[in-house]
Amino acid sequence: MINLFQMLQQNSPFFQELQIYDDGKRILDKSLRDKEGMEYYLISKKFIKQWKYYVDYDEEMEEIQLDPRQKPDKINSDLINNEKLFRYFPENHVYNSSIRYLENEWDYEFVLKKVYEYFNEIYQSIEPQIRVGFYNESLKRKQIFPNLARFTLIYQSPIDNKLYTAKAQVDYNSEIKAWTNLLRDTFQEQFKPKKINNVRVWCPRHKTFKADLLIQQMEKIKQVDGDILNENLIIFQMQSQRDNCIIIDLELNDWQFKKFEQTIEYDNALLLEKALYGCGKIVCEFPQCKLNNGYSDLGFAKEDIQGICQVLIENEEVKWELMCSKQKNITDNLLPFSVQIKTDPIQYLLKISQSLELFGISFVENYNKNQGIYQINPKNAEINSLLVLQIAQGLNQQKDNLMQIIKNLFQRKVEDIEPLTNLYQLRALYLILQFRNCLSKILDEKPFIILTVIRRLSQQQANQLSKWLTKLDKTELQQFQSITKKAIEQQINIQKNAPIRPLLDIDDIQRLKGLFDLYSVIYKSNIKNPRIPASEFIINSIQQFYKVDADRQEFTQFQIFNAKVWRGYSFTFCQYPWAMPIEFKSRLLSIECKVKQYDTRRRAYGIFPQFVSLTIERDNIIESAIKQLQQTQVSLKNPLKVQFVNEQGVDEGGPKREFFRLIMEKLVTPDYGMFIPKNNDTVFWFNPQSFEMPIYYSLIGKLLGLSLYNSVLLDVRFPTVLFKKLQREKLKEEDLKELDMETYTGFQFLREQTDPKVVESLGLTFNGTYKVWGENYFEDLKPNGFQINVTIENREEYIQLYIDWYLNKLVQKQFDLLKDGFKTVVDGDGIKLFSGEELQQLIIGLPTFDMKDLEASTKYDGYESDSEYIRYFWNCIHKLNVEMQKRFLFFCTGSDRIPVGGLKSIKFVIQKHGQDTEQLPSAHTCFNVLLLPFYKNKETLKEKLKISLDNAEGFGLM
């Protein structure tokens, strides 16, 4: 059946475009699955997004909007790059391309030739028209392999016989033979006066040597130290890393290169040269380099060193991939920047910024102590903060010089898509980020070099930055966090006010991702060494990023990201859930639940919503709930409705809340034996000696999940650690405080002792103990633990084993049953957005509240918000103590729990209910409506309100 939207669509002047695109998309998807031969064009994703919006076809829009639209940008605007690459396919082949290296898979979208040509008739296209594919000789058909390998080619020009390098790309799945044929045609076009008969590929014996070292080697020996690759190999069988070097050999009258046979002798000479003379750099990673080997300090003669090199080569102990090469640099005679530099500091920094490593060992703390020793400490960046601050103040007034330093350091890395390779380079990045006086300028510089470097950091490198940041004091970290947060908020504000839609440009996406990746480094550092409240990292403007249906649009991006189908992907904040407001995340979880419910109905060919319907006996509440939850054929993710036996009424929320209150009260009570009170009865924890049936713990898990999906807050005193365990968070010693303060403080006392005799006098063994209903139980923390005494040397092991035993192993069986029950209701990606503490807030509610929030959000029916009567009413409520205020909430809503978002998120109504009456105030708890009579005087209002609250107990239908 065609709906209204489809009818409007068919009447649109763009209907033919939509039809061609849709048909092409279906054929394309099928051809990719079946690997059929077709011509595939790349179209910028920015164009596709703009085009969909222009023709009212965006999947996120529910209705046609007739406002004037901006015509889409050029088709290939995101795919133009001036980087000189060997062409992927020469012009005389079926496919032609000047394709750049695509950093992200979602930069572009594949379309069929027909779709591209139709677009090209209507919209402007930038040359070259980019096509990718692979012509497989054996299969005689064209196939698409968008997964590209990248190499640095070393070749000898037949014009001047000099060695040159170039970047080249090729499908992982293509054969060497097919690729060399393409290279032959490419070289032939480049060197037209010369006849290129054929091309072959040499793989260097030392596969990870850099291009400069290989060229140096080849110029010296005039041959190739390697082997010719079998032309029947597939590219991925080369097992190469990105940008590894290979040597291209051109056949003119004869081949240019021959194999170098004297490899062992040459290796000896090569290694001896490095051991005796080094590379001349300030820092070097090659262990056998003169800078690192220490042979001279030990007084070894040349003959001794030669013998050592020979043994190292014979035992294959040389790390050739770290081999250094001697280079003449502008920084060769310069020292790292320190307090001893007396020249113009800015000009000196400009000089040493020509070397990442030299810059990376600058600003060293205690320079005199460390002079000549340039080993970087992974645990402490050892930065002279005062010197950094002084230079940052100077650079803040010299933006051009600051930008030039950044370009000198990192621009080549960015352009060549090269990663940072060592701690010296990473420390250089860390130093730039420490210039906090000009950090805003650094993060805002164009073309965003620093953000690009940060975005390309490996996980290990990002973790290393976090480790170094743990050494910053609270003020320093707050300044760093505040500047980065402000930069993110500015970007969000710019994007949400975009004239068409946010994040249409790939550059905008990458800029925002770079900022968030930096923000993530700061956040993880704060986790390791807490100095800033976690709430300070939350960015509330995320909720307003999309102008319409923000939660639904964010959820769509989240789904695409998790599915790794990049066709419609831009960016999702859900990669950084700790920065998202909990209210926004809870809405995403609600959408996910509704989507799952819809999918369930669709698979069952249902049309109308399905409910988990429970008919509950008040006197047999647990057994009736267990039986029905086990037998229901309806997914527990569906909405819950509760009917009490022999009680009239339709569940609009009240009976449901009453059900949860009664059943949890019974299950968690100590009399039932499943949980025991801990920490002076402030919380309830699993009873390790419980004999209840496993199904009861599973039931509690299901109830936690059902309450979450039905927005019912539970009045249960479960500790935060239980919810952390549900979210698979790593537990810490601090988590013990909420359960057992006595044990926690005992561990602190044990750590503080410096006298071994005091520790021994405590008489502790590797044995855990717990008490249930006055009876003591014991368990070994490790085999024969009761026979192993705790000493000052092994006390840390004892503490860690005890914590793991107490929080995990001791209650493993009970917790696993509860967790399994919870997971039968709650699964998917949405729940992963929440920390354990946030999950606790979703299920149990917030620990504190302010009645002024409820007053501010209240609506009125029959009263005016500013009337004297209403003002007096709220004055009475505000004067109540916390316990009575909770009674008021329970009386009006059926629950005294505070939802995520606080009382301002409750839709509360005060309705006028009679005048000059003796009737008490009452409430429709299902709808959060207080029925308030208009009494003749204030004293009567106060008295009647007190009577109602004093007797607020249980649930009654009106």
Side-chain angles (χ1 to χ4, degrees), residues 850-858 860 865 870-871 874 878:
D850 187 345
M851 275 294 175
K852 290 181 180 179
D853 290 339
L854 184 65
E855 180 183 1
S857 63
T858 298
Y860 299 90
S865 60
I870 289 298
R871 286 202 303 271
W874 282 112
H878 293 315

Side-chain angles (χ1 to χ4, degrees), residues 643-911:
Q643 172 74 54
F644 285 100
V645 174
N646 298 325
E647 295 183 21
Q648 296 182 351
V650 178
D651 185 6
E652 296 293 346
K656 188 162 45 187
R657 287 195 286 265
E658 176 79 349
F659 162 71
F660 279 111
R661 183 180 70 83
L662 293 174
I663 194 168
M664 292 304 292
E665 187 178 89
K666 190 166 186 180
L667 283 169
V668 180
T669 179
D671 296 340
Y672 218 69
M674 296 174 66
F675 296 89
I676 53 177
K678 303 289 289 184
N679 239 11
N680 296 322
D681 296 348
T682 55
V683 292
F684 286 95
W685 188 237
F686 298 99
N687 179 2
Q689 293 295 320
S690 171
F691 295 105
E692 289 299 328
M693 294 174 62
I695 197 171
Y696 286 5
Y697 282 110
S698 179
L699 172 63
I700 291 179
K702 289 178 181 178
L703 292 170
L704 291 178
L706 285 168
S707 70
L708 177 63
Y709 273 172
N710 288 274
S711 302
V712 176
L713 296 173
L714 300 180
D715 185 10
V716 288
R717 286 179 286 161
F718 285 150
T720 308
V721 68
L722 184 147
F723 299 94
K724 285 187 174 183
K725 285 168 70 68
L726 281 173
Q727 292 301 83
R728 303 180 68 178
E729 290 181 26
K730 186 176 180 180
L731 302 184
K732 301 176 182 177
E733 188 172 336
E734 292 294 313
D735 294 313
L736 190 62
K737 290 169 67 174
E738 192 180 9
L739 278 179
D740 196 329
M741 181 59 77
E742 185 179 346
T743 300
Y744 174 80
T745 53
F747 288 156
Q748 305 310 303
F749 174 80
L750 180 59
R751 275 207 185 93
E752 292 166 0
Q753 304 314 305
T754 56
D755 187 347
K757 292 182 179 179
V758 174
V759 174
E760 292 172 10
S761 69
L762 297 174
L764 298 172
T765 62
F766 276 73
N767 198 260
T769 178
Y770 63 95
K771 183 181 290 188
V772 176
W773 311 130
E775 187 171 349
N776 290 318
Y777 297 88
F778 303 91
E779 284 187 18
D780 283 341
L781 302 179
K782 58 194 291 189
N784 298 317
F786 72 98
Q787 295 178 335
I788 304 173
N789 293 323
V790 175
T791 65
I792 202 166
E793 290 80 14
N794 65 18
R795 62 183 171 185
E796 194 58 44
E797 179 192 10
Y798 165 75
I799 291 172
Q800 297 306 320
L801 285 174
Y802 199 105
I803 292 169
D804 182 47
W805 167 78
Y806 196 111
L807 298 179
N808 297 315
K809 294 177 180 176
L810 183 60
V811 296
Q812 190 72 47
K813 180 177 67 174
Q814 292 86 347
F815 171 75
D816 284 347
L817 290 167
L818 184 146
K819 178 190 70 176
D820 291 344
F822 183 73
K823 295 299 181 185
T824 60
V825 183
V826 182
D827 59 7
D829 297 306
I831 195 65
K832 298 173 186 175
L833 298 175
F834 300 90
S835 66
E837 189 173 348
E838 288 175 328
L839 180 61
Q840 183 184 36
Q841 292 177 19
L842 286 175
I843 294 176
I844 294 180
L846 301 177
T848 59
F849 63 94
D850 187 345
M851 275 294 175
K852 290 181 180 179
D853 290 339
L854 184 65
E855 180 183 1
S857 63
T858 298
K859 305 295 182 184
Y860 299 90
D861 181 3
Y863 289 112
E864 296 296 328
S865 60
D866 58 351
S867 68
E868 184 180 355
Y869 189 76
I870 289 298
R871 286 202 303 271
Y872 181 77
F873 165 80
W874 282 112
N875 186 49
C876 292
I877 297 299
H878 293 315
K879 287 182 178 180
L880 296 173
N881 60 34
V882 173
E883 188 59 38
M884 290 305 292
Q885 285 183 345
K886 284 190 172 185
R887 275 184 168 268
F888 172 72
L889 289 174
F890 182 82
F891 176 76
C892 297
T893 68
S895 172
D896 61 0
R897 316 306 293 169
I898 314 303
V900 166
L903 293 179
K904 62 180 179 291
S905 64
I906 296 178
K907 295 178 180 179
F908 184 55
V909 177
I910 297 179
Q911 180 179 326

